Amino acid sequence: MFVIGCHLSASKGFLAMGKEATSIQADTFQFFTRNPRGSRAKELDMGDIAAFLEYAERYHIKTPLAHAPYTLNPASAEERIKEFALLTLADDLKRLSHLPGSLYNLHPGSHVGQGTEKGILQIVEVLNQILWAENQTPLLLETMSGKGSEVGSCFEELCAIIEGVEFKEQVGVCLDTCHVYAAGYDIVNDLNGVLEEFDRIIGLEKLRAIHLNDSMHPLGSHKDRHAKIGEGTIGFSAFCHIVNHPALQNIPFYLETPQETVEGYGEEIKRLREAVQ
């Protein structure tokens, strides 16, 4: 089943996001849990959530993807920054318990000169403090482009984080097409090989979501600059192969392209739906 959506603003509430998604023929969406560059989160409106859940069932909206703010860095050497990440992640998971069927996406963090091994250990430490046995919201580690001291630009690093977590079944991966391409994984000319490598190192059962983004920069550039679908170095043909790949048929896709309007996402969704065979 082909499930596709885009990034929407959560400022108007969940029901508004649901209606906005269906207006552009999307059947899922992504949203920030709070200000992407800050720390404040709106109070939960339980009436709005109940209305959204009813609307989602009626219009077959599936798997909302909550995105953690960019400011979080559980791999930081500074205790206050790591503590802020821990408290925010824990609070987000508690809030998402009211949104059944959702996923929670996180940029793993940057080791900021400590080294990748130390960064991974610190990420694992934070995740082991925020995940608990009854948690029902899968936490996804996003594949990164490898700029600066980012952790998570190779499958081995993501695997090491997952292996260190106690509740491994609660942790998965969100593959970002722009990021993996910038990190050196050739999804244009060797998509099968990339997915086989992912399966060998992490396991395809851990791949729970895909960010569809073209890239402004070439393969292996380690630069995180998204482009509209078909207007970057990945190209529309590669995205046709991605959305039709047998191994990816039951994984939801989320657009994060640099659109100025929701209608722009709608045009991309239309093109990609037409490409599905």
Side-chain angles (χ1 to χ4, degrees):
M1 182 181 293
F2 182 61
V3 175
I4 187 168
C6 60
H7 193 98
L8 300 176
S9 170
S11 61
K12 296 180 181 178
F14 288 103
L15 179 58
M17 285 192 288
K19 290 181 176 180
E20 201 165 36
T22 55
S23 76
I24 57 170
Q25 306 303 307
D27 36 29
T28 190
F29 58 86
Q30 177 178 267
F31 64 97
F32 279 114
T33 58
R34 57 192 70 213
N35 188 320
R37 301 288 179 188
S39 61
R40 290 182 177 271
K42 289 176 59 177
E43 290 294 323
L44 288 178
D45 183 338
M46 301 309 295
D48 174 59
I49 291 176
F52 164 71
L53 292 175
E54 182 180 342
Y55 185 87
E57 184 173 2
R58 186 186 313 158
Y59 291 97
H60 309 291
I61 298 174
K62 308 170 184 70
T63 328
L65 179 60
H67 200 305
Y70 295 134
T71 49
L72 302 189
N73 186 12
S76 175
E78 294 188 43
E79 194 58 37
R80 65 176 182 84
I81 294 177
K82 192 169 70 168
E83 181 70 12
F84 171 68
L86 189 154
L87 294 174
T88 303
L89 291 168
D91 184 53
D92 277 355
L93 283 175
K94 186 180 299 183
R95 291 160 61 87
L96 287 168
S97 67
H98 298 288
L99 193 67
S102 60
L103 302 169
Y104 186 38
N105 184 64
L106 169 69
H107 289 190
S110 297
H111 62 74
V112 199
Q114 301 177 92
T116 302
E117 185 176 346
K118 178 65 174 176
I120 288 172
L121 289 174
Q122 295 199 163
I123 295 165
V124 168
E125 179 184 344
V126 168
L127 296 187
N128 277 330
Q129 291 182 73
I130 64 165
L131 297 173
W132 71 100
E134 291 77 22
N135 173 48
Q136 297 297 310
T137 306
L139 185 147
L140 308 187
L141 303 167
E142 185 170 338
T143 57
M144 304 308 294
S145 63
K147 69 178 187 294
S149 60
E150 281 181 340
V151 177
S153 64
C154 68
F155 299 156
E156 288 83 358
E157 292 174 7
L158 297 174
C159 179
I161 296 170
I162 296 170
E163 285 302 306
V165 174
E166 179 182 358
F167 297 111
K168 295 176 178 59
E169 71 282 359
Q170 297 183 20
V171 184
V173 173
C174 174
L175 187 149
D176 186 296
T177 54
C178 171
H179 295 175
V180 295
Y181 192 67
Y185 292 97
D186 193 353
I187 57 173
V188 175
N189 300 300
D190 190 21
L191 178 61
N192 284 338
V194 172
L195 293 176
E196 287 168 5
E197 185 173 355
F198 186 99
D199 191 35
R200 177 175 57 82
I201 296 170
I202 299 176
L204 278 171
E205 71 280 359
K206 287 292 187 183
L207 183 54
R208 302 292 303 274
I210 295 176
H211 282 162
L212 286 179
N213 300 302
D214 214 323
S215 174
M216 291 181 64
H217 295 285
L219 176 68
S221 65
H222 299 294
K223 293 181 179 180
D224 179 7
R225 293 292 302 277
H226 297 187
K228 296 176 183 179
I229 301 298
E231 296 185 13
T233 57
I234 295 175
F236 189 73
S237 178
F239 286 102
C240 293
H241 292 139
I242 290 168
V243 298
N244 283 293
H245 197 284
L248 307 179
Q249 291 307 292
N250 295 314
I251 299 171
F253 297 93
Y254 305 84
L255 291 160
E256 289 185 321
T257 54
Q259 296 290 347
E260 296 180 358
T261 65
V262 172
E263 289 73 23
Y265 284 128
E267 288 300 313
E268 288 185 320
I269 288 171
K270 181 175 184 291
R271 288 185 71 202
L272 290 166
R273 284 198 185 282
E274 290 172 350
V276 174
Q277 299 174 356

